[in-house]
Coordinates of all heavy atoms in Angstrom, one line a residue:
A1 N -18.6 12.7 -18.7 CA -19.2 11.4 -18.3 C -18.2 10.5 -17.5 O -17.2 10.2 -18.1 CB -19.8 10.6 -19.5
L2 N -18.5 10.3 -16.3 CA -17.5 9.6 -15.4 C -17.2 8.2 -15.9 O -16.1 7.8 -15.9 CB -18.1 9.5 -14.0 CG -18.2 10.9 -13.3 CD1 -18.7 10.7 -11.8 CD2 -16.8 11.6 -13.2
N3 N -18.2 7.4 -16.3 CA -18.1 6.1 -16.7 C -17.4 5.9 -18.1 O -17.1 4.7 -18.4 CB -19.4 5.3 -16.6 CG -19.9 5.0 -15.1 OD1 -20.9 5.6 -14.8 ND2 -19.1 4.2 -14.4
D4 N -17.2 7.0 -18.8 CA -16.6 7.0 -20.1 C -15.1 7.3 -19.9 O -14.4 7.1 -20.9 CB -17.2 7.9 -21.0 CG -18.6 7.5 -21.4 OD1 -18.9 6.3 -21.3 OD2 -19.3 8.2 -22.0
L5 N -14.6 7.7 -18.7 CA -13.2 8.0 -18.6 C -12.3 6.9 -18.4 O -12.7 5.9 -17.8 CB -13.2 8.9 -17.3 CG -13.8 10.3 -17.2 CD1 -13.7 11.0 -15.9 CD2 -13.3 11.2 -18.4
P6 N -11.1 6.9 -19.0 CA -10.1 5.9 -18.7 C -9.8 5.8 -17.1 O -10.0 6.8 -16.3 CB -9.0 6.3 -19.5 CG -9.4 7.3 -20.4 CD -10.6 8.0 -19.8
R7 N -9.5 4.7 -16.6 CA -9.3 4.4 -15.3 C -8.3 5.5 -14.6 O -8.6 5.9 -13.6 CB -8.7 3.0 -15.0 CG -8.5 2.7 -13.5 CD -8.1 1.3 -13.3 NE -9.2 0.4 -13.6 CZ -9.1 -0.9 -13.5 NH1 -8.0 -1.5 -12.9 NH2 -10.1 -1.7 -13.8
R8 N -7.2 5.8 -15.3 CA -6.4 6.9 -14.7 C -7.0 8.2 -14.5 O -6.8 8.9 -13.5 CB -5.1 6.9 -15.6 CG -4.0 8.0 -15.0 CD -2.8 7.9 -15.8 NE -2.1 6.6 -15.7 CZ -1.0 6.3 -16.2 NH1 -0.4 7.2 -17.0 NH2 -0.4 5.1 -16.0
E9 N -7.8 8.6 -15.6 CA -8.5 9.9 -15.5 C -9.6 9.9 -14.5 O -9.8 10.8 -13.7 CB -9.1 10.2 -16.9 CG -8.0 10.7 -17.9 CD -8.6 11.2 -19.3 OE1 -9.6 12.0 -19.0 OE2 -8.3 10.9 -20.2
L10 N -10.3 8.7 -14.3 CA -11.3 8.6 -13.3 C -10.7 8.8 -11.9 O -11.3 9.4 -11.0 CB -12.0 7.3 -13.5 CG -13.1 7.1 -12.5 CD1 -14.3 8.1 -12.5 CD2 -13.7 5.6 -12.6
R11 N -9.6 8.1 -11.6 CA -8.9 8.3 -10.4 C -8.5 9.7 -10.1 O -8.7 10.2 -9.0 CB -7.6 7.4 -10.4 CG -6.9 7.3 -9.1 CD -5.8 6.4 -9.3 NE -4.9 6.3 -8.0 CZ -5.1 5.5 -7.0 NH1 -6.1 4.7 -7.2 NH2 -4.4 5.5 -5.9
A12 N -8.1 10.4 -11.1 CA -7.8 11.8 -10.9 C -9.0 12.7 -10.6 O -9.0 13.6 -9.8 CB -6.9 12.4 -12.1
T13 N -10.1 12.4 -11.4 CA -11.3 13.0 -11.1 C -11.9 12.9 -9.8 O -12.6 13.8 -9.3 CB -12.3 12.6 -12.3 OG1 -11.7 12.9 -13.5 CG2 -13.6 13.4 -12.1
R14 N -11.7 11.8 -9.2 CA -12.2 11.5 -7.8 C -11.7 12.5 -6.7 O -12.2 12.5 -5.7 CB -12.0 10.1 -7.5 CG -12.9 9.0 -8.1 CD -13.1 7.8 -7.3 NE -14.0 6.9 -7.8 CZ -13.8 5.7 -8.5 NH1 -12.5 5.4 -8.7 NH2 -14.7 5.0 -8.9
A15 N -10.6 13.1 -7.0 CA -10.1 14.2 -6.2 C -11.2 15.3 -6.1 O -11.2 16.1 -5.1 CB -8.8 14.8 -6.7
H16 N -12.1 15.4 -7.1 CA -13.1 16.5 -7.1 C -14.5 16.0 -6.5 O -15.4 16.9 -6.5 CB -13.2 17.1 -8.6 CG -12.0 17.5 -9.1 ND1 -11.3 18.6 -8.6 CD2 -11.3 17.2 -10.2 CE1 -10.1 18.8 -9.3 NE2 -10.1 17.9 -10.3
I17 N -14.6 14.8 -6.2 CA -15.9 14.4 -5.7 C -15.5 13.4 -4.5 O -14.8 12.3 -4.7 CB -16.6 13.6 -6.8 CG1 -17.9 13.1 -6.2 CG2 -15.8 12.7 -7.5 CD1 -18.9 12.6 -7.5
Q18 N -16.0 13.7 -3.3 CA -15.7 13.0 -2.1 C -16.9 12.5 -1.4 O -18.0 13.1 -1.7 CB -14.8 13.8 -1.2 CG -13.3 13.9 -1.7 CD -12.5 12.7 -1.8 OE1 -12.4 11.9 -0.8 NE2 -11.9 12.4 -3.0
M19 N -16.8 11.6 -0.5 CA -18.0 11.0 0.2 C -17.9 11.0 1.7 O -16.8 10.8 2.2 CB -18.3 9.6 -0.4 CG -19.6 9.0 0.0 SD -19.9 7.6 -0.9 CE -21.7 7.2 -0.5
I20 N -19.0 11.4 2.3 CA -19.1 11.3 3.8 C -20.1 10.1 4.0 O -21.2 10.0 3.6 CB -19.6 12.5 4.4 CG1 -18.8 13.7 4.1 CG2 -19.8 12.4 5.8 CD1 -19.4 15.0 4.4
F21 N -19.6 9.1 4.8 CA -20.4 7.8 5.1 C -21.2 7.9 6.3 O -21.0 8.9 7.2 CB -19.5 6.7 5.2 CG -18.7 6.3 3.9 CD1 -17.4 6.8 3.7 CD2 -19.4 5.5 2.9 CE1 -16.8 6.6 2.5 CE2 -18.7 5.3 1.7 CZ -17.4 5.8 1.5
Q22 N -22.1 7.0 6.4 CA -23.2 7.1 7.4 C -22.6 6.9 8.9 O -23.0 7.6 9.8 CB -24.2 6.0 7.2 CG -25.3 6.0 8.3 CD -26.4 4.9 7.9 OE1 -26.3 4.4 6.9 NE2 -27.2 4.8 8.9
D23 N -21.7 5.9 9.0 CA -21.3 5.4 10.3 C -19.9 6.1 10.7 O -19.0 5.8 10.1 CB -21.2 3.9 10.3 CG -20.7 3.3 11.7 OD1 -20.8 4.1 12.7 OD2 -20.6 2.2 11.8
P24 N -20.0 7.0 11.7 CA -18.7 7.7 12.1 C -17.8 6.8 12.9 O -16.7 7.1 13.2 CB -19.2 8.9 13.0 CG -20.4 8.4 13.6 CD -21.1 7.5 12.6
Y25 N -18.2 5.6 13.3 CA -17.5 4.6 13.9 C -16.9 3.6 13.0 O -15.6 3.3 13.1 CB -18.2 3.9 15.1 CG -18.9 4.8 16.1 CD1 -20.1 5.4 16.0 CD2 -18.2 5.2 17.3 CE1 -20.6 6.3 16.9 CE2 -18.6 6.0 18.1 CZ -19.9 6.6 18.0 OH -20.4 7.4 19.0
G26 N -17.5 3.1 12.0 CA -17.0 2.1 11.2 C -16.2 2.8 10.0 O -15.4 2.0 9.4
S27 N -16.4 4.0 9.7 CA -15.7 4.5 8.5 C -14.3 5.0 8.8 O -13.6 5.5 7.8 CB -16.6 5.7 8.0 OG -16.6 6.8 9.0
L28 N -13.8 5.0 10.0 CA -12.5 5.4 10.4 C -11.7 4.2 10.9 O -12.2 3.5 11.8 CB -12.5 6.5 11.5 CG -13.4 7.8 11.2 CD1 -13.2 8.7 12.4 CD2 -12.9 8.4 10.0
D29 N -10.5 4.0 10.4 CA -9.7 2.8 10.8 C -9.1 3.1 12.2 O -8.3 4.1 12.4 CB -8.6 2.7 9.8 CG -7.7 1.4 9.9 OD1 -7.7 0.9 11.1 OD2 -7.0 1.1 9.1
P30 N -9.5 2.3 13.1 CA -9.2 2.5 14.5 C -7.6 2.2 14.8 O -7.2 2.7 15.8 CB -9.9 1.5 15.3 CG -10.2 0.3 14.3 CD -10.3 1.0 13.0
R31 N -6.9 1.7 13.8 CA -5.5 1.5 14.0 C -4.7 2.6 13.5 O -3.4 2.6 13.7 CB -5.0 0.2 13.2 CG -5.8 -1.0 13.7 CD -5.6 -2.2 12.8 NE -6.2 -1.9 11.4 CZ -6.1 -2.7 10.3 NH1 -5.4 -3.8 10.4 NH2 -6.6 -2.3 9.2
Q32 N -5.3 3.5 12.9 CA -4.4 4.8 12.3 C -4.7 6.0 13.0 O -5.8 6.3 13.6 CB -5.0 4.9 10.8 CG -4.9 3.8 9.8 CD -3.4 3.3 9.6 OE1 -2.4 4.1 9.9 NE2 -3.2 2.1 9.1
K33 N -3.7 6.8 13.0 CA -3.9 8.1 13.6 C -4.8 9.0 12.7 O -4.8 8.8 11.4 CB -2.5 8.8 13.8 CG -1.7 8.1 15.0 CD -0.4 9.0 15.3 CE 0.3 8.3 16.5 NZ 1.6 9.0 16.8
I34 N -5.3 10.1 13.2 CA -6.2 11.0 12.5 C -5.5 11.7 11.4 O -6.0 11.8 10.3 CB -6.8 12.0 13.4 CG1 -7.6 11.3 14.6 CG2 -7.7 13.0 12.6 CD1 -8.6 10.4 14.0
A35 N -4.2 11.9 11.6 CA -3.5 12.6 10.5 C -3.4 11.7 9.2 O -3.6 12.2 8.1 CB -2.0 12.9 10.9
R36 N -3.2 10.4 9.4 CA -3.1 9.5 8.3 C -4.5 9.3 7.6 O -4.7 9.2 6.5 CB -2.4 8.2 8.7 CG -2.2 7.3 7.5 CD -1.4 6.1 7.9 NE -1.1 5.3 6.8 CZ -0.3 4.2 6.8 NH1 0.3 3.9 8.0 NH2 -0.2 3.4 5.7
I37 N -5.6 9.2 8.5 CA -6.9 9.0 8.0 C -7.3 10.2 7.1 O -7.9 9.9 6.1 CB -7.8 8.8 9.3 CG1 -7.5 7.5 9.9 CG2 -9.4 8.8 8.8 CD1 -8.3 7.3 11.2
V38 N -7.1 11.4 7.7 CA -7.7 12.5 7.0 C -6.8 12.7 5.6 O -7.2 13.2 4.6 CB -7.5 13.8 7.8 CG1 -7.8 15.1 7.0 CG2 -8.3 13.8 9.0
A39 N -5.5 12.4 5.7 CA -4.6 12.5 4.5 C -4.8 11.5 3.5 O -4.3 11.7 2.4 CB -3.1 12.7 5.0
E40 N -5.5 10.4 3.6 CA -5.6 9.3 2.9 C -6.0 9.6 1.4 O -5.4 9.3 0.5 CB -6.5 8.3 3.5 CG -6.5 7.0 2.6 CD -7.3 5.9 3.3 OE1 -8.0 6.2 4.3 OE2 -7.4 4.7 2.8
P41 N -7.2 10.4 1.3 CA -7.5 10.8 -0.2 C -6.4 11.6 -0.8 O -6.3 11.5 -2.0 CB -8.8 11.6 0.1 CG -9.3 11.3 1.5 CD -8.0 11.0 2.3
L42 N -5.7 12.4 -0.1 CA -4.7 13.2 -0.7 C -3.6 12.5 -1.1 O -3.0 12.6 -2.2 CB -4.2 14.3 0.3 CG -3.4 15.5 -0.1 CD1 -4.2 16.3 -1.1 CD2 -2.9 16.4 1.0
A43 N -3.2 11.4 -0.3 CA -2.0 10.6 -0.7 C -2.4 9.8 -1.9 O -1.6 9.5 -2.8 CB -1.7 9.8 0.5
N44 N -3.7 9.3 -2.0 CA -4.1 8.4 -3.2 C -4.3 9.2 -4.6 O -4.1 8.7 -5.5 CB -5.3 7.7 -2.8 CG -5.1 6.6 -1.8 OD1 -3.8 6.1 -1.6 ND2 -6.1 6.2 -1.2
L45 N -4.7 10.5 -4.3 CA -5.1 11.2 -5.5 C -4.3 12.3 -6.0 O -4.5 12.8 -7.0 CB -6.6 11.8 -5.2 CG -7.6 10.7 -4.9 CD1 -8.9 11.4 -4.5 CD2 -7.8 9.8 -6.2

């Protein structure tokens, strides 16, 4: 149960569940290179 997990475990579990958003223009930071954008979930999780 996701909402019963402690915050640290939930953060680690989010590596196994990712999201694709609707707007391909607004969901990418225009100031960042693609390498950093794509690697962001990996760096955080």
Side-chain angles (χ1 to χ4, degrees):
L2 293 182
N3 289 111
D4 291 342
L5 297 177
R7 179 172 296 183
R8 180 173 296 181
E9 288 188 44
L10 178 60
R11 184 179 178 87
T13 301
R14 284 208 174 104
H16 303 298
I17 178 170
Q18 292 292 311
M19 192 164 188
I20 303 171
F21 295 94
Q22 175 178 356
D23 185 3
Y25 297 91
S27 62
L28 304 181
D29 188 340
R31 300 168 297 178
Q32 304 292 344
K33 290 184 177 181
I34 298 306
R36 184 166 182 177
I37 291 172
V38 173
E40 184 176 5
L42 194 64
N44 289 337
L45 300 175

